[in-house]
Amino acid sequence: MNMNRGNMNNAHPRRMTQQRRAILDAVARLGCHPTADQVFEMVRREMPKVSLSTVYRNLGILAEQGDILPVRGYGDEVHYDHNTHEHYHGICRICGRMIDLPADTVKASAMSDEWRERDGFEAEEIVVTVTGICSGCLNATQKG
Ligand SMILES: [Zn+2]
Ligand SMILES: [Zn+2]
């Protein structure tokens, strides 16, 4: 199976249980930044005995291993991202949908250069979350 995870030449093969593999699969198949509940609903179809706490625990391990990225959504809900390449997020304040914003549209290196010059602050990680209205919700409002 081609997992298409970019960094496959890892010196230490990761311990991957069948459950964890199914959970990682579900995050990838659901695509658009699913929450733990959404992952649970999907995994449960194939593994009816899986519990929500097992899903939470394995999502935590996968995030620690760098296989997925936890992303704070609208409110306190945590979403899980299969796309571990650098990018930013736009969150729709109406439907809560989270979309990817390409990294090259945020001039992070220019920003950190300026902070270094102005304040001597060395930026290590920039997390950008933009709140707005997604195209689907915008279309729905315009139709009235
Ligand atoms: Zn929306
Ligand atoms: Zn994303």
Side-chain angles (χ1 to χ4, degrees):
M1 191 185 354
N2 178 16
M3 293 295 290
N4 194 21
R5 274 195 287 141
N7 185 16
M8 293 301 280
N9 47 1
N10 214 310
H12 305 280
R14 285 165 180 152
R15 199 174 134 263
M16 189 71 87
T17 62
Q18 203 188 349
Q19 265 180 348
R20 198 171 306 151
R21 166 79 57 198
I23 288 165
L24 181 59
D25 250 33
V27 175
R29 270 190 291 163
L30 286 162
C32 210
H33 314 91
T35 60
D37 284 328
Q38 291 169 318
V39 173
F40 174 58
E41 286 306 322
M42 174 158 246
V43 172
R44 199 161 63 156
R45 282 182 225 159
E46 282 159 35
M47 298 179 163
K49 283 182 187 153
V50 80
S51 70
L52 182 59
S53 63
T54 301
V55 170
Y56 267 112
R57 185 161 40 83
N58 281 288
L59 284 169
I61 294 168
L62 287 165
E64 236 167 68
Q65 290 178 342
D67 289 315
I68 56 174
L69 282 178
V71 189
R72 177 65 68 83
Y74 205 55
D76 280 340
E77 196 131 56
V78 177
H79 298 248
Y80 294 91
D81 200 343
H82 184 63
N83 179 2
T84 56
H85 296 284
E86 187 186 7
H87 65 284
Y88 304 105
H89 290 107
I91 302 175
C92 177
R93 65 174 168 78
I94 296 175
C95 69
R97 198 161 82 98
M98 188 181 282
I99 67 157
D100 285 345
L101 304 173
D104 60 5
T105 58
V106 179
K107 309 294 180 216
S109 59
M111 279 154 61
S112 48
D113 282 353
E114 190 166 338
W115 296 329
R116 192 183 301 110
E117 266 169 44
R118 285 168 56 117
D119 306 305
F121 183 80
E122 189 61 46
E124 291 182 336
E125 188 191 16
I126 299 175
V127 179
V128 177
T129 305
V130 184
T131 309
I133 304 175
C134 78
S135 58
C137 290
L138 205 59
N139 285 340
T141 356
Q142 278 163 356
K143 273 173 202 150

